[in-house]
Amino acid sequence: MPQTSPAKPSLTQAPWFRPAAFGVGAVVVLALVVLAAKLLRGTQAVSDFIATYPGHAPLPDWAPEGLPAWLNVLHFLNLMFLVLIVRSGLQVRFTTRPQGYWKRNNKGLVKTKGQPKKISLDLWFHLCLDALWVLSGMVFFVLMFATGHWVRLVPTTWSIFPHALSAVIQYASLDWPLEDGWLNYNALQQLTYFLVVFIAAPLAIVTGLRMSGAWPTNQKAPRLNKAYPLEWARAVHFPVMAFFVLFVIVHVFLVLTTGALRNLNHMFASHDGDDWLGFILFAVGVLVVVGLWFLARPLFLRPVASLMGTVTRN
């Protein structure tokens, strides 16, 4: 019988087709959103709405002004921990053959009746980062409520919602709302930061705790595990991580496109100005994070992990 040559794959089967189609579709959707927002802003009703609600909900008279140095430090630590947590979390999720394992020494302050479980070195690093992130978050909460800075994140008036809608329309039309983050975040920023701090972060913690070895087994707490199944935690934990990644991308983009020098001074130099100090500190911080990203390898993690337990190859 004559041999037939294999059929050539169609265009839609090419490995680059789906990413390219998604990219083109995203550009088309964004263009339609911008066009619709510009058309809306051209109407008298929407123009009057934006004039009434310019995008910044008023703060109480006693609200603190500016961003203190402690907030700058915690902001950098949060950035650093989030980047490394996402990196280690992806390794835990997708690595099939870990390059090392760790088992806690059942000595010191923390002791258990049973033998500690052996976990991958990637998971050990992820859990250590989680603990440090939670610790920095606890410090943030204490200082935020002690100094009154909570009012910049927690809405105190229902006008936050029409102001936020106004900000959405302004952002979508590419005629962005005036920024003055030193005094007051715009309403959309405030709602987003509230979502990050008071909803997304606690969700990441409670779902991560449910997935960790610290959670009691079915034999010890059957009712608790039935009320809070492991599958629920896994279904929520990864999307929350994806939300944090999206938030960081959009956040950095807006920081750099709405007055980069002034915004970076707010976030890294604790002052309101247009000099280069905040940019320099930001650049140093990025170099530190990049350096830690490359140092977070088994070659460098094993000596540190061995201080807290036993490290083995398998």
Side-chain angles (χ1 to χ4, degrees):
M1 293 180 59
Q3 294 184 348
T4 57
S5 58
K8 293 182 179 181
S10 64
L11 181 64
T12 57
Q13 294 176 327
W16 53 265
F17 179 81
R18 285 188 178 181
F22 178 81
V24 172
V27 170
V28 171
V29 170
L30 287 175
L32 293 174
V33 169
V34 172
L35 178 61
K38 286 185 175 295
L39 291 174
L40 282 174
R41 293 198 66 170
T43 64
Q44 188 62 43
V46 174
S47 180
D48 292 342
F49 174 76
I50 293 176
T52 305
Y53 299 101
H56 292 77
L59 293 177
D61 294 336
W62 53 265
E65 179 179 319
L67 303 176
W70 62 262
L71 187 58
N72 287 180
V73 174
L74 291 174
H75 180 268
F76 166 71
L77 291 177
N78 187 61
L79 168 67
M80 179 182 70
F81 289 140
L82 274 180
V83 170
L84 296 176
I85 283 172
V86 169
R87 179 190 189 278
S88 59
L90 291 174
Q91 288 179 312
V92 170
R93 186 178 180 90
F94 296 110
T95 299
T96 54
R97 283 191 170 186
Q99 299 184 41
Y101 293 86
W102 176 85
K103 179 188 281 190
R104 178 176 59 83
N105 291 329
N106 203 16
K107 302 176 182 179
L109 296 176
V110 180
K111 296 181 181 179
T112 56
K113 294 182 179 180
Q115 285 295 320
K117 296 180 180 179
K118 182 169 66 174
I119 61 176
S120 71
L121 200 59
D122 294 330
L123 181 55
W124 166 82
F125 185 50
H126 187 69
L127 294 176
C128 288
L129 291 170
D130 288 341
L132 292 173
W133 181 59
V134 171
L135 179 61
S136 69
M138 292 171 63
V139 174
F140 169 75
F141 267 84
V142 170
L143 292 175
M144 177 179 60
F145 284 102
T147 60
H149 274 80
W150 64 268
V151 78
R152 291 170 61 99
L153 301 182
V154 180
T156 57
T157 171
W158 289 106
S159 68
I160 188 76
F161 296 106
H163 277 290
L165 177 58
S166 172
V168 169
I169 296 172
Q170 294 177 69
Y171 276 121
S173 67
L174 302 183
D175 185 6
W176 294 350
L178 296 176
E179 298 291 338
D180 193 2
W182 186 253
L183 299 176
N184 188 8
Y185 301 127
N186 72 50
L188 185 60
Q189 287 176 313
Q190 188 176 10
L191 288 176
T192 304
Y193 296 155
F194 177 85
L195 176 63
V196 168
V197 173
F198 293 98
I199 297 179
L203 273 177
I205 294 170
V206 298
T207 54
L209 180 63
R210 177 63 181 90
M211 296 163 60
S212 73
W215 190 265
T217 62
N218 287 330
Q219 291 76 14
K220 294 182 178 180
R223 292 183 178 179
L224 179 62
N225 284 284
K226 185 177 181 180
Y228 185 16
L230 178 61
E231 293 73 20
W232 289 9
R234 286 175 175 168
V236 173
H237 196 71
F238 188 78
V240 170
M241 184 210 70
F243 167 77
F244 274 115
V245 172
L246 179 62
F247 167 77
V248 170
I249 292 173
V250 175
H251 181 59
V252 172
F253 172 77
L254 291 176
V255 165
L256 297 179
T257 55
T258 59
L261 292 180
R262 192 179 182 199
N263 288 335
L264 291 174
N265 275 325
H266 292 175
M267 299 163 64
F268 289 90
S270 190
H271 78 95
D272 187 27
D274 293 323
D275 56 73
W276 288 81
L277 178 59
F279 177 84
I280 293 172
L281 295 176
F282 167 71
V284 172
V286 170
L287 290 176
V288 170
V289 173
V290 171
L292 291 174
W293 177 287
F294 285 102
L295 288 175
R297 301 173 185 275
L299 176 65
F300 301 101
L301 293 180
R302 288 192 189 101
V304 181
S306 63
L307 300 174
M308 308 177 191
T310 303
V311 179
T312 58
R313 297 279 183 177
N314 49 47

